[in-house]
């Protein structure tokens, strides 16, 4: 089985990704790959942050790896929180605080349309390949559901009356921005041979 290092310390993202891949690939988190590092996200775009993370791990290991950066973009807030989604309420990176801040900023806003966006950067032999997924939807007025993580309890995807927080992982994956990006990654990997991938 092909093994890829996922350049993240976010266990929720690892769990979600494994549920999407359903055993097609062996995914190692940074801790499982015995890499103890907190990779900075200094850039103004999801794409550049994703590249930064996969490049850092590639330089450390010289092994093919991938990373992702995701953000919630809210139309009435001019695309905020965007790249600052994880730190919208501060460096404590609290999901509850971030949601509170988002709902406060959207108070009395009629347009609550939003989109979740994921950018995956796959680094192979120093080259970067980018895969993107977008899920359009809206922000509900109060939390609904206990599942998921991040903004899931307040994000309702188009075509559903439930928030991500009210869905199982399998249900969420029918809409997920992350799944859309991962499917493009899988399509790329399945067309390449192991020697080209450096696996």
């Amino acid at each position: 089985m092909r093994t890829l290092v996922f350049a993240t310390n976010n266990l929720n993202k690892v769990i979600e990704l494994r549920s999407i891949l359903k055993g097609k690939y062996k995914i190692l988190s940074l801790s499982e790959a015995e890499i103890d590092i907190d990779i900075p996200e200094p850039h103004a775009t999801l794409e550049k942050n994703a590249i930064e993370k996969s490049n850092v791990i590639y330089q450390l290991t010289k092994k093919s790896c991938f990373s992702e950066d995701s953000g919630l973009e809210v139309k009435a807030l001019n695309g905020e929180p965007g790249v600052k989604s994880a730190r919208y309420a501060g460096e404590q990176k609290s999901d509850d605080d971030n949601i509170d801040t988002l709902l406060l900023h959207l108070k009395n806003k009629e347009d609550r349309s939003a989109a979740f966006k994921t950018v995956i950067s796959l680094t192979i032999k120093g080259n970067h390949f980018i895969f993107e997924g977008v899920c359009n939807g809206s922000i509900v007025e109060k939390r609904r559901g206990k599942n998921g993580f991040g903004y899931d309890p307040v994000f309702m995807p188009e075509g559903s009356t439930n928030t991500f927080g009210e869905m199982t992982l399998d249900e969420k994956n029918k809409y997920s921005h992350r799944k859309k990006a991962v499917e493009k990654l899988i399509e790329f990997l399945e067309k390449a041979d192991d020697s080209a991938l450096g696996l």
Side-chain angles (χ1 to χ4, degrees):
M1 183 183 294
R2 288 174 170 179
T3 299
L4 285 168
V5 175
F6 184 11
T8 186
N9 289 306
N10 188 324
L11 183 58
N12 286 312
K13 289 184 177 182
V14 174
I15 292 170
E16 190 166 296
L17 203 81
R18 285 173 176 160
S19 78
I20 294 169
L21 292 173
K22 298 188 183 301
K24 287 186 177 180
Y25 296 87
K26 184 177 181 180
I27 301 300
L28 298 179
S29 66
L30 289 181
S31 61
E32 289 168 336
E34 299 182 342
I35 300 170
D36 184 11
I37 185 173
D38 187 17
I39 309 171
E41 298 175 329
H43 302 292
T45 68
L46 298 174
E47 181 174 322
K48 287 184 177 179
N49 279 333
I51 291 173
E52 174 85 15
K53 289 185 280 190
S54 65
N55 190 57
V56 165
I57 299 307
Y58 177 77
Q59 294 302 326
L60 280 174
T61 66
K62 298 303 179 185
K63 294 180 180 179
S64 296
C65 62
F66 72 97
S67 67
E68 64 94 66
D69 201 24
S70 296
L72 176 68
E73 300 175 350
V74 181
K75 186 176 180 181
L77 302 179
N78 298 313
E80 288 187 358
V83 293
K84 297 180 179 178
S85 292
R87 297 175 173 84
Y88 198 35
E91 289 300 317
Q92 71 273 25
K93 297 172 71 173
S94 163
D95 290 349
D96 281 335
D97 291 349
N98 289 335
I99 290 174
D100 287 342
T101 300
L102 175 66
L103 294 180
L104 179 63
H105 288 176
L106 277 175
K107 191 175 181 180
N108 300 322
K109 299 279 189 184
E110 289 188 12
D111 185 355
R112 302 180 74 87
S113 58
F116 261 130
K117 181 177 178 181
T118 287
V119 177
I120 290 176
S121 170
L122 173 68
T123 299
I124 301 172
K125 299 181 179 179
N127 298 310
H128 307 294
F129 302 89
I130 301 299
F131 311 94
E132 183 179 301
V134 177
C135 176
N136 294 311
S138 60
I139 305 301
V140 297
E141 294 185 354
K142 60 182 180 180
R143 291 170 176 79
R144 287 166 37 189
K146 302 286 187 181
N147 297 329
F149 62 100
Y151 298 90
D152 285 358
V154 293
F155 182 83
M156 183 171 65
E158 282 184 358
S160 177
T161 57
N162 292 328
T163 67
F164 277 167
E166 295 174 296
M167 296 181 184
T168 64
L169 258 181
D170 284 344
E171 290 169 340
K172 179 181 177 180
N173 285 339
K174 294 176 183 178
Y175 304 92
S176 171
H177 49 297
R178 191 165 288 110
K179 184 181 181 185
K180 292 174 182 177
V182 170
E183 285 177 338
K184 294 176 183 178
L185 169 67
I186 293 170
E187 183 180 1
F188 176 87
L189 291 173
E190 290 183 343
K191 289 179 179 178
D193 61 34
D194 288 353
S195 60
L197 295 173
L199 299 176

